[in-house]
Amino acid sequence: MAGEDQAPSDATVDWVRRLIGFDTTSRRSNRALIDSAAEHLGAQGCHLTLTTTDDGAKANLFATLAPPSGQRTGGLVLSGHTDVVPVDGQAWTSAPFKAVLRDGRLYGRGSCDMKGFLGVTLALVPAFRGMALTEPVHFALSFDEEVGCVGAPLMIADLAARAVRPRACIVGEPTLMQPVIGHKAIRLFRCRVHGRPAHASLPHEGANAIEFAARIMVFIRSLADSLGSKPRCHDFHPPYTTMSIGQVSGGTAANIVAEHCEFLFEYRSLPEEDDDRIEQAIRAFISHEILPEMRAAYSRADVALERLATVPAFAADAREPFTHLVEELTGAAAGYVSYCSEAGQFSDIGIPTVICGPGSIEQAHRADEWIALDQLAACERFLIDAVDRVCGAPRHG
Ligand SMILES: [Zn+2]
């Protein structure tokens, strides 16, 4: 059934190609992409607001296509992140930042996560302009989602400051165009342990940073076991809060008591979990169990626990009318995913939010990332319908 209706517009394919061409790996600036999108949206009559990092190297773009009345509040937000994960060490068969069209798929870094969705939204601006809008359509392009959803909060704070209150938000992460109304929260930490070096034959003269770090890690593991021992919310997979230690480094040589050790860990918690309580338990163990013992050996010993990223959980109300609308338009029941997004940040300020976007998360973050053209076409149809229903003139009769 590869009919015409399964193919996206040329404008969509052109935009997705163009977006893939910007290397917006999170460690780099996204300004070239943002400037290109801003020029297009501005030329189509959108009102533009940029929020940037202090050095201006990265920016969020919030663009509002107002109805004839000029109203800028209310309406529907179409939200996506502009950054992509690195290609370092991945075996790509074509250049990752040059889109390649092959067998009904568009290949390139970010094609699926999530320049496919962004390309559809940018290509549809003229179509939205041609609709009888009574409320605005907003385009939200963020930076640094892949490194802990760091950019979007700046943009969301600016919306609150300007009293822009959208009625609903679609976050276009890849869901194969199925509505998603929940994911876990993430907190990511770095723990740095500073001890005192000594010859390995005289360990009592040192404070072994690796050994103290190991005890903190064992504590984290036991906390994880206790959280995992009582499965609670079966909408999520797995149905409990998880913790994982992902990276460790430290020490100098086998015959030296280690002066330094550091490790990274994270936890992914259910929406009803008390995230602060978990963090406090770890901090209390460090300050009451580990530090007194370390300092008895070495008064300047220290443990620094730094939170590197915080992504709120997303848990929309399944009975929310906007959830039902997205279910109706996609013909699919709302579900849950195991990855994180910016959806919780929009939903936390009271904007009904659903994650729904083209492509599969299976293809995200991988070598030879791709998106199927028929997914882009399905996304076009869905966004036209969603804008019509949320921002169009109410139906009578
Ligand atoms: Zn993403």
Side-chain angles (χ1 to χ4, degrees), residues 136-387:
V137 183
H138 311 278
F139 304 83
L141 287 73
S142 66
F143 66 87
D144 280 3
E145 190 271 354
E146 296 289 6
V147 289
C149 298
V150 176
L154 283 177
M155 176 164 57
I156 290 167
D158 175 69
L159 292 188
R162 292 189 292 126
V164 174
R165 295 193 60 83
R167 283 209 289 134
C169 175
I170 294 167
V171 175
E173 291 281 354
T175 66
L176 284 172
M177 298 309 302
Q178 315 264 315
V180 165
I181 56 167
H183 61 60
K184 292 177 180 177
I186 295 189
R187 286 194 188 188
L188 168 66
F189 298 85
R190 174 167 48 217
C191 183
R192 285 195 173 109
V193 182
H194 175 63
R196 177 160 68 175
H199 191 279
S201 63
L202 304 165
H204 58 280
E205 292 184 0
N208 193 319
I210 291 178
E211 292 177 4
F212 283 105
R215 284 170 54 187
I216 301 170
M217 287 189 261
V218 167
F219 177 78
I220 290 170
R221 181 67 252 159
S222 65
L223 201 56
D225 289 342
S226 73
L227 291 166
S229 67
K230 36 179 197 293
R232 279 177 298 172
C233 185
H234 288 273
D235 292 330
F236 293 90
H237 175 73
Y240 48 83
T241 295
T242 60
M243 303 181 79
S244 177
I245 300 164
Q247 200 180 350
V248 186
S249 62
T252 311
N255 58 3
I256 300 174
V257 171
E259 183 176 12
H260 294 288
C261 181
E262 70 173 64
F263 61 96
L264 298 177
F265 69 97
E266 56 155 54
Y267 53 89
R268 297 182 180 232
S269 51
L270 297 173
E272 70 266 35
E273 194 72 72
D274 185 344
D275 293 332
D276 290 332
R277 195 184 57 85
I278 298 174
E279 183 173 338
Q280 281 156 12
I282 299 166
R283 291 190 183 278
F285 178 77
I286 291 169
S287 49
H288 299 142
E289 302 281 332
I290 297 296
L291 270 178
E293 214 178 306
M294 283 188 85
R295 286 186 177 151
Y298 174 47
S299 63
R300 289 163 65 188
D302 199 20
V303 179
L305 182 61
E306 182 188 0
R307 200 202 296 171
L308 302 179
T310 310
V311 182
F314 172 47
D317 187 340
R319 297 157 302 179
E320 160 65 44
F322 184 61
T323 303
H324 288 312
L325 174 65
V326 178
E327 288 180 316
E328 179 199 326
L329 296 179
T330 57
Y336 296 78
V337 289
S338 50
Y339 57 88
C340 283
S341 78
E342 297 165 339
Q345 295 170 331
F346 284 99
S347 130
D348 280 357
I349 60 159
I351 304 176
T353 300
V354 174
I355 306 173
C356 186
S360 163
I361 198 70
E362 297 280 308
Q363 271 84 50
H365 300 195
R366 299 195 171 199
D368 293 341
E369 178 178 346
W370 55 271
I371 190 156
L373 293 182
D374 57 6
Q375 280 287 301
L376 295 174
C379 184
E380 288 173 344
R381 293 192 295 271
F382 166 68
L383 291 182
I384 294 270
D385 291 345
V387 165

